[in-house]
């Protein structure tokens, strides 16, 4: 089959709808999607029937309302298309009602107190702006998969999609006000677009299954470094090995069938690390697709005897994985608001939008940071690896220079760029190709979009984009209010750009974010630097956040509190699993292995003595082993005690803080001993695959 035929072949997309729906129904559905209108029941019935026929022709037997609970992964409950007929047989049917709303119950998902047990029902509602797809598996099972939002009996959001859709509406509304005030009369909708670059590791399945830390915690809790790491820089963009390339081809095929625009693939910096980037899409579709990407990456890996690791830090000492969330705003008539234009008025608009984001990011750095807070990402943010936990914006020297000059009321005359006259101020043509790439910034302007690089590789991108859309909505709201009142729009626009830069330029940093000097400089500027998830999550429930999300009708106070509760609890659970896994491995695998080697050495010393030979090497090794094992045993005791004490703590936040302060510290101390032991014990006596096995035997 041709690529063009494969792509989207499992999507109930516009082409299929056009072919299969009566003209009037198709038109009504298009309008619903384009203008976010409620779906008419008569339309839903016809659409459902067409969808069912299409799915049955393609071999589907079941449908599912697919949703995104607060666990960060997706959920689905399958129902077959059969209903019983009066004659005792069956009929195959799928009604509009079944398409629009589901009641999966799903009472076991975290609700953070939004559902009490007596009203545990949860509902799903079709998000008709994201197309339904067919999910297939290797044995030929086909399921019609309908993207839905998940909410409680009282209409409170229980998922990641509902606030995302709300935030998209909010940013569209406020951005349009700015455009209107600047004289745009044609655009009727502003869409937040996202292109998430996904990093991941692959590991041989056989090795993976011999490491319960990888299996249960997603990362190696122990592991001495291999003699070689990433220092030769021979992996990044290197030739892709056949086995990996086979995997990538298979992955692409699966993604393309579901209409996911897998575009770029390459080796990443660390050994056995890779990246896939799709072409950007509307935020909610990009989010659905990214969830499918993560799921498909894992599923396809198994077919190749591989396991795909999405954890932020599977291995110590080499790079972890992130997700670069490329974000921009476009109008329905094709204008990218973050793309500098050719005319003076285009550029006023561009600089206003950039100013709005500078203000938004500086004011709500804590919220952006919070959306990237979870146990796995703590190993990256603010730890030994970038991006740091400090939110700053890379604007590039030229753009910064322009903003700087405007803020000082100076004539802008940068680098031979052309002048244009805008009312009272002069603006140059903004350089379009911002080739000046800073790879260390957590929030970088890359010519026509911002790239938010703090997001963890395993995370849903919904949260970060809810935050981006909402903080942008607030900044646009304020700008629009000023512009709407102003007589001289250009003068007011110039004033806004000037004032914003003066007030918020502290968040702009074009230097090396990985340098030791940056955290010090950031502290002087008063920028927050929150190095752990537990503290970072507190930003969910500050007055400032509660007001912000409530004002733009994205999340109510109750919904914010419930999210905070769930994420803090999730952190504590994750750390607890790691601790129990560590304890298990030390007791059942490492101590027995070390004892075996120690006994071997002791016996060797004995037999040397028998023939009156000195055994200084064995004696020295044995001493080291015994000392390290004693230290490990002591640290094991500390970890067990800390874990028990933490589990006995009722308060969720206190519990998470104890995880961070006591358990994580105890695990680190234990790891130091175990890794030192691994360096001494012979390979064939070490009970788990080593870093060399995991990273270099693909
Ligand atoms: P790089 O990070 O090297 O600049 P690209 O320019 O190819 O790589 O873009 C990376 C990601 O950004 C891709 O997923 C791409 O589709 C996405 N992207 C490009 N333009 C936009 C946009 N206007 N809005 C959101 N994402 C975008
Ligand atoms: Mg990039």
């Amino acid at each position: 089959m041709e690529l063009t035929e494969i792509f989207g072949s499992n999507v109930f997309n516009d082409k299929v709808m056009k072919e299969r729906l009566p003209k009037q129904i198709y038109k009504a559905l298009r309008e619903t999607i384009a203008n976010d209108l409620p779906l008419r029941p008569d339309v839903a019935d016809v659409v459902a029937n067409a969808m069912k026929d299409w799915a049955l022709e393609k071999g589907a037997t079941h449908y599912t309302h697919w949703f995104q609970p607060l666990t960060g992964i997706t959920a689905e409950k399958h129902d077959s298309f059969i209903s019983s007929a009066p004659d005792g047989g069956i009929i195959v049917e799928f009604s509009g009602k079944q398409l629009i709303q589901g009641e999966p119950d799903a009472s076991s998902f975290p609700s953070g107190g939004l559902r009490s047990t007596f009203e545990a029902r949860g509902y799903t509602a079709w998000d008709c702006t994201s197309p339904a797809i067919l999910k297939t598996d290797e044995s030929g099972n086909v399921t019609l998969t309908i993207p839905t939002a998940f909410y409680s009996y009282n209409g409170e959001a229980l998922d990641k999609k509902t606030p995302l859709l709300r935030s998209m509406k909010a940013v569209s509304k406020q951005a349009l006000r700015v455009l209107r005030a600047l004289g745009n009369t044609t655009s009727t909708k502003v869409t937040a677009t996202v292109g998430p670059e996904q990093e991941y590791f692959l590991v041989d399945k056989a090795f993976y299954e011999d490491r319960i830390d990888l299996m249960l915690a997603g990362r190696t809790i122990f592991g001495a470094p291999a003699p070689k790491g990433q220092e030769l820089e021979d992996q990044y963009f290197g030739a892709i090995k056949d086995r990996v390339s086979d995997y990538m081809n298979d992955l692409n095929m699966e993604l393309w069938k579901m209409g996911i625009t897998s575009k770029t693939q390459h080796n990443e910096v660390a050994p056995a690390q890779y990246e896939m980037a799709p072409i950007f899409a509307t935020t909610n579709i990009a989010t659905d697709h990214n969830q499918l990407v993560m799921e498909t990456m894992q599923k396809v890996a198994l077919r190749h005897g591989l396991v795909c690791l999405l954890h932020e830090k599977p291995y110590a000492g080499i790079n972890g994985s992130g997700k670069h969330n490329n974000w921009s705003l476009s109008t329905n008539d094709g204008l990218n608001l973050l793309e500098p234009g050719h005319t003076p008025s285009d550029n006023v608009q561009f600089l206003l939008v950039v100013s709005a984001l500078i203000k938004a990011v500086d004011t709500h750095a804590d919220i952006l940071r919070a959306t990237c807070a979870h146990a796995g990402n703590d190993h990256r943010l603010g730890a030994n690896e970038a991006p740091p936990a400090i939110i700053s914006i890379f604007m590039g020297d030229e753009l910064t220079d322009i903003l700087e000059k405007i803020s000082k009321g100076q004539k802008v005359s940068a680098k031979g760029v052309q002048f244009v006259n805008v009312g009272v101020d002069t603006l140059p043509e903004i350089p379009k190709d911002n080739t000046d790439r800073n790879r260390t910034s957590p929030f970088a302007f890359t010519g026509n979009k911002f790239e938010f690089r703090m997001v963890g590789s395993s995370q849903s991108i919904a949260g970060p984009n809810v935050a981006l859309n909402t903080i942008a909505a607030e900044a646009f709201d304020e700008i629009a209010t000023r512009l709407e009142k102003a007589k001289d729009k250009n003068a007011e626009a110039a004033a806004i750009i000037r004032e914003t830069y003066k007030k918020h330029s502290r968040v702009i940093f074009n230097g090396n974010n990985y340098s030791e000097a940056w955290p010090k400089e950031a502290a002087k500027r008063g920028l927050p630097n929150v190095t752990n998830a537990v503290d970072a999550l507190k930003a969910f429930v500050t007055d400032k956040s509660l007001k912000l999300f409530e004002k733009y009708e994205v999340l109510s106070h109750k919904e914010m509190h419930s999210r905070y509760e769930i994420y803090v609890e999730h952190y504590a659970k994750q750390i607890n699993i790691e601790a129990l896994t560590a304890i298990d491995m030390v007791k059942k695998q490492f101590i027995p292995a070390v004892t075996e080697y120690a006994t071997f050495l002791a016996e060797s010393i004995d037999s040397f003595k028998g023939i009156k030979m000195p055994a200084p090497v064995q004696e020295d090794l044995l001493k080291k082993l015994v000392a390290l094992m004693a230290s490990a045993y002591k640290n094991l005791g500390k970890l067990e005690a800390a874990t028990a004490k933490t589990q006995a703590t009722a308060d969720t936040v206190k519990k998470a803080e104890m995880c961070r302060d006591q358990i994580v510290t105890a695990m680190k101390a234990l790891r130091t001993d175990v890794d030192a032991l691994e360096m001494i014990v012979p390979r064939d006596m070490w009970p788990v695959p080593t870093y060399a096995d995991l990273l270099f035997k693909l």
Side-chain angles (χ1 to χ4, degrees):
M1 248 207 291
E2 297 268 333
L3 194 48
T4 47
E5 280 171 58
I6 293 166
F7 188 84
S9 55
N10 283 343
V11 187
F12 194 73
N13 55 19
D14 195 59
K15 187 167 157 263
V16 180
M17 289 196 274
K18 208 169 184 174
E19 276 166 18
R20 290 177 175 255
L21 294 173
K23 251 201 184 111
Q24 286 310 314
I25 299 286
Y26 170 74
K27 230 180 107 203
L29 184 62
R30 289 298 312 162
E31 266 168 36
T32 305
I33 294 170
N35 305 319
D36 299 319
L37 302 170
L39 189 64
R40 280 177 13 218
D42 58 317
V43 175
D45 271 330
V46 182
V47 175
N49 202 45
M51 213 185 254
K52 177 205 69 187
D53 289 344
W54 170 78
L56 289 176
E57 281 166 33
K58 296 210 163 236
T61 51
H62 288 70
Y63 71 92
T64 181
H65 273 203
W66 183 67
F67 59 103
Q68 303 175 22
L70 295 169
T71 50
I73 48 176
T74 58
E76 47 194 72
K77 181 178 119 188
H78 298 191
D79 280 300
S80 69
F81 289 112
I82 64 168
S83 304
S84 33
D87 65 1
I90 56 144
I91 43 170
V92 175
E93 66 171 3
F94 185 52
S95 69
K97 204 169 151 280
Q98 285 168 310
L99 167 64
I100 295 176
Q101 201 190 48
E103 193 191 316
D105 176 2
S107 52
S108 291
F109 287 108
S111 81
L114 286 182
R115 291 188 291 178
S116 35
T117 28
F118 59 85
E119 188 36 279
R121 256 180 296 175
Y123 298 87
T124 49
W126 182 31
D127 168 16
C128 64
T129 58
S130 178
I133 53 156
L134 298 175
K135 272 208 221 175
T136 55
D137 68 17
E138 240 194 328
S139 16
N141 300 306
V142 183
T143 309
L144 172 63
T145 304
I146 301 155
T148 61
F150 180 50
Y151 56 94
S152 78
Y153 182 72
N154 297 320
E156 279 141 349
L158 295 173
D159 69 345
K160 297 198 171 244
K161 171 166 265 192
T162 306
L164 187 64
L165 295 172
R166 293 176 184 158
S167 73
M168 288 169 66
K169 232 172 158 171
V171 74
S172 176
K173 182 173 159 192
Q174 302 303 337
L176 270 181
R177 281 180 59 212
V178 174
L179 297 184
R180 286 282 179 278
L182 291 174
N184 173 323
T185 53
T186 51
S187 308
T188 54
K189 190 171 168 178
V190 172
T191 306
T193 52
V194 169
E197 301 164 50
Q198 176 74 47
E199 291 179 341
Y200 61 98
F201 279 87
L202 292 175
V203 62
D204 192 287
K205 185 161 170 277
F207 290 133
Y208 169 88
E209 286 176 347
D210 271 344
R211 297 238 18 162
I212 62 161
D213 49 359
L214 274 183
M215 283 174 64
L216 304 183
R219 72 179 183 97
T220 54
I221 299 174
F222 302 99
K228 180 184 170 192
Q230 62 191 41
E231 65 275 46
L232 291 181
E233 291 166 11
D234 51 353
Q235 156 83 3
Y236 189 54
F237 281 17
I240 301 170
K241 286 185 182 162
D242 284 0
R243 186 173 180 195
V244 175
S245 163
D246 279 352
Y247 164 76
M248 287 177 171
N249 286 342
D250 202 359
L251 171 67
N252 286 336
M253 209 51 87
E254 292 300 327
L255 295 177
W256 289 335
K257 279 195 264 174
M258 293 189 287
I260 299 170
T261 52
S262 175
K263 168 86 179 156
T264 309
Q265 60 197 27
H266 58 81
N267 285 358
E268 256 303 329
V269 171
Q273 190 187 28
Y274 310 92
E275 180 182 297
M276 189 288 281
I279 298 171
F280 70 96
T282 308
T283 315
N284 62 322
I285 296 177
T287 304
D288 287 354
H289 282 182
N290 184 250
Q291 294 295 141
L292 290 168
V293 164
M294 291 194 284
E295 184 183 310
T296 311
M297 279 181 166
Q298 289 175 304
K299 211 164 80 176
V300 172
L302 295 177
R303 292 184 204 159
H304 294 257
L306 297 165
V307 174
C308 168
L309 304 176
L310 293 171
H311 193 283
E312 284 73 19
K313 194 75 178 173
Y315 307 105
I318 55 170
N319 273 22
S321 301
K323 188 132 54 186
H324 292 175
N325 190 83
N326 295 273
W327 178 91
S328 190
L329 294 166
S330 309
T331 64
N332 57 321
D333 43 358
L335 191 71
N336 179 348
L337 300 188
L338 282 169
E339 178 115 19
H342 289 298
T343 67
S345 57
D346 279 353
N347 281 338
V348 172
Q349 179 185 301
F350 167 74
L351 288 175
L352 269 179
V353 172
V354 165
S355 297
L357 284 157
I358 292 171
K359 189 244 154 202
V361 172
D362 187 36
T363 311
H364 298 298
D366 58 337
I367 296 176
L368 287 178
R369 169 68 183 91
T371 63
C372 301
H374 79 127
N377 227 7
D378 268 8
H379 296 277
R380 296 173 66 236
L381 306 180
N384 46 3
E385 173 178 330
I390 309 159
I391 300 259
S392 66
I393 305 178
F394 168 80
M395 286 297 327
D397 290 338
E398 279 179 288
L399 207 47
T400 309
D401 189 50
I402 290 168
L403 290 167
E404 181 87 37
K405 290 218 162 92
I406 294 174
S407 79
K408 290 183 180 148
Q410 290 171 358
K411 251 186 105 163
V412 186
S413 59
K415 293 159 199 160
V417 280
Q418 187 195 331
F419 283 94
V420 288
N421 216 333
V422 195
V424 293
D425 260 64
T426 50
L427 286 176
E429 180 149 341
I430 314 275
K432 244 193 167 157
D433 184 23
N434 194 322
T435 42
D436 187 8
R437 287 296 172 87
N438 179 325
R439 294 277 168 199
T440 67
S441 178
F443 202 85
F445 182 67
T446 53
N448 59 2
K449 61 189 186 288
F450 277 101
E451 185 168 339
F452 185 28
R453 303 202 181 108
M454 258 192 191
V455 187
S457 49
S458 72
Q459 279 190 277
S460 159
I461 58 167
N465 288 300
V466 167
L468 280 172
N469 294 343
T470 312
I471 65 176
E474 183 192 54
F476 288 140
D477 182 3
E478 287 169 18
I479 290 174
T481 304
R482 282 182 68 171
L483 288 175
E484 283 161 2
K485 284 189 197 136
K487 285 218 173 65
D488 183 341
K489 310 282 185 209
N490 275 331
E492 187 67 4
I496 293 170
I497 296 166
R498 192 162 52 230
E499 286 162 32
T500 309
Y501 186 80
K502 276 193 182 146
K503 202 161 162 207
H504 298 288
S505 62
R506 64 171 191 163
V507 78
I508 298 175
F509 180 63
N510 294 332
N512 179 5
N513 292 66
Y514 298 3
S515 73
E516 276 172 35
W518 171 231
K520 290 179 199 140
E521 163 71 15
K524 269 193 223 147
R525 295 185 185 189
L527 300 178
N529 182 3
V530 187
T531 56
N532 68 85
V534 185
D535 284 339
L537 286 169
K538 296 197 166 102
F540 271 94
V541 286
T542 59
D543 279 348
K544 179 171 71 91
S545 308
L546 292 173
K547 276 191 196 133
L548 169 78
F549 287 100
E550 182 179 54
K551 179 164 182 196
Y552 295 97
E553 296 177 346
V554 174
L555 287 162
S556 69
H557 289 202
K558 230 170 129 186
E559 289 168 330
M560 289 293 279
H561 277 285
S562 83
R563 264 149 227 262
Y564 174 60
E565 179 89 6
I566 290 165
Y567 298 150
V568 172
E569 195 178 5
H570 189 84
Y571 172 91
K573 283 182 178 164
Q574 186 65 39
I575 301 292
N576 187 53
I577 292 171
E578 292 190 2
L580 296 180
T581 306
I583 292 166
D584 191 85
M585 289 176 86
V586 171
K587 279 187 175 164
K588 296 188 185 153
Q589 296 190 288
F590 300 135
I591 291 180
V594 176
T595 308
E596 190 189 341
Y597 184 44
T599 309
F600 170 85
L601 288 172
E603 283 168 5
S604 162
I605 293 166
D606 253 0
S607 43
F608 273 47
K609 267 189 196 151
I611 54 164
K612 299 211 166 41
M613 280 291 284
V617 175
Q618 292 94 316
E619 278 172 17
D620 186 57
L621 283 172
L622 184 58
K623 262 187 220 143
K624 281 191 179 135
L625 275 188
V626 170
L628 278 170
M629 190 151 67
S631 173
Y633 197 65
K634 209 170 98 198
N635 283 323
L636 173 71
K638 281 189 192 159
L639 178 58
E640 284 183 308
T643 307
K645 208 166 99 196
T646 304
Q647 279 318 300
T649 307
D651 180 73
T652 314
V653 176
K654 183 92 210 10
K655 200 178 199 166
E657 284 169 351
M658 287 171 75
C659 283
R660 174 195 65 195
D661 298 334
Q662 300 181 22
I663 298 187
V664 170
T665 323
M667 275 198 294
K668 273 189 195 145
L670 182 57
R671 178 179 192 148
T672 307
D673 294 331
V674 172
D675 290 0
L677 284 164
E678 185 185 339
M679 304 285 273
I680 305 177
V681 174
R683 173 67 193 94
D684 60 354
M685 282 190 187
W686 195 248
V688 296
T690 65
Y691 268 30
D693 299 329
L694 298 166
L695 292 167
F696 294 99
K697 287 195 184 167
L698 260 195

